[in-house]
Amino acid sequence: MKKFLIILCMLFTLPVFADVMPFYMESIPRTAIGVYQTGTEITVFSHPEANSKVLKKMKFSYQPETMPDRVFGFLLNEKKLGFLYVTDIGDEGWVEVIYDKQTGAKGWVMTEDRLQFLPWLTFYNMYGRKYGLRLLKDTPENIEVLKSKSDDMSQNVAKLIYIKQIKLTALRGNWALVTVVDIDKTPKTGYLRWRSNDGIIYAFPNIK
């Protein structure tokens, strides 16, 4: 009994890890056009106007036990790095974000600088080229292949079996020029579909 109580106490004293990462295709909305990087607080408005109705106010400590659920598309508390999905842009620095992933609730926030809103191309160039990419867990098998050109009808370069690393060189539309280290440890270079024509994302920056 004593041993059981000790184990139980250890479980309750373990640190809480509230990091958020997209692992499946459905976790990234097709309507997302990029991401908005949060600071220590945000105010979400009903319209892209400062005098419109306030829908939500949130403060972020980046302490796992105090961070809200269902808000972030991507969150690393230790790095104080959090992003919300952006679905539209307005004038004068306004962007529309999803602030509740469960209900899909959206509202408008004001960006404080030009890098707070990152369209997918900028986000992948910043973080994908630095950390590489990873395929989401439910990516279809027909996507796990390198092509000679950024075209579905082009020749296959390699079928990917057990990916160890995906290094991003450049994005060209919905295709990524990458070098992949697979199970045979031989680097292979070609084009990988990172997104479908209707917005389904297959590969995401492997931020650590």
Side-chain angles (χ1 to χ4, degrees):
M1 182 66 179
K2 184 177 179 181
K3 185 176 181 180
F4 172 77
L5 290 174
I6 293 173
I7 294 173
L8 191 62
C9 289
M10 290 176 63
L11 289 173
F12 278 107
T13 56
L14 285 173
V16 178
F17 297 99
D19 290 346
V20 178
M21 297 184 185
F23 287 111
Y24 297 93
M25 294 185 299
E26 65 178 13
S27 62
I28 306 176
R30 297 189 193 189
T31 55
I33 59 174
V35 291
Y36 168 87
Q37 184 171 351
T38 56
T40 56
E41 60 182 276
I42 63 170
T43 302
V44 184
F45 295 87
S46 61
H47 295 86
E49 301 170 354
N51 60 355
S52 64
K53 180 182 178 181
V54 174
L55 299 176
K56 191 87 172 180
K57 284 189 176 184
M58 290 178 278
K59 292 186 178 182
F60 306 125
S61 66
Y62 298 97
Q63 298 299 316
E65 62 275 7
T66 67
M67 294 298 281
D69 294 329
R70 309 191 310 267
V71 173
F72 289 91
F74 183 89
L75 172 66
L76 286 178
N77 286 294
E78 187 176 351
K79 292 180 178 289
K80 295 186 177 180
L81 190 64
F83 294 98
L84 310 185
Y85 293 122
V86 174
T87 54
D88 198 3
I89 56 175
D91 297 328
E92 300 178 353
W94 289 93
V95 294
E96 184 185 55
V97 298
I98 297 174
Y99 66 91
D100 188 322
K101 293 189 299 181
Q102 183 172 346
T103 65
K106 301 176 185 178
W108 292 86
V109 295
M110 170 63 80
T111 57
E112 297 178 1
D113 59 61
R114 64 184 183 85
L115 290 178
Q116 196 166 17
F117 164 54
L118 300 175
W120 284 134
L121 178 62
T122 306
F123 180 68
Y124 277 69
N125 278 332
M126 285 181 64
Y127 292 100
R129 293 179 71 173
K130 180 177 180 179
Y131 294 100
L133 302 177
R134 59 177 171 82
L135 289 177
L136 300 181
K137 291 185 176 182
D138 52 348
T139 297
E141 285 190 13
N142 65 305
I143 300 300
E144 298 176 1
V145 61
L146 294 183
K147 296 281 190 176
S148 59
K149 298 179 181 179
S150 54
D151 188 319
D152 287 314
M153 303 306 294
S154 64
Q155 182 180 355
N156 287 355
V157 172
K159 178 75 174 81
L160 305 178
I161 306 299
Y162 185 76
I163 300 169
K164 295 182 176 293
Q165 182 184 30
I166 303 177
K167 181 181 178 182
L168 173 64
T169 299
L171 290 186
R172 295 182 182 175
N174 294 326
W175 294 84
L177 178 60
V178 298
T179 298
V180 179
V181 177
D182 205 0
I183 192 169
D184 62 2
K185 299 182 181 180
T186 302
K188 302 176 181 67
T189 299
Y191 287 91
L192 176 73
R193 249 199 186 278
W194 70 274
R195 183 174 62 180
S196 72
N197 292 336
D198 57 353
I200 300 173
I201 289 180
Y202 304 124
F204 196 81
N206 193 26
I207 305 174
K208 299 176 181 178

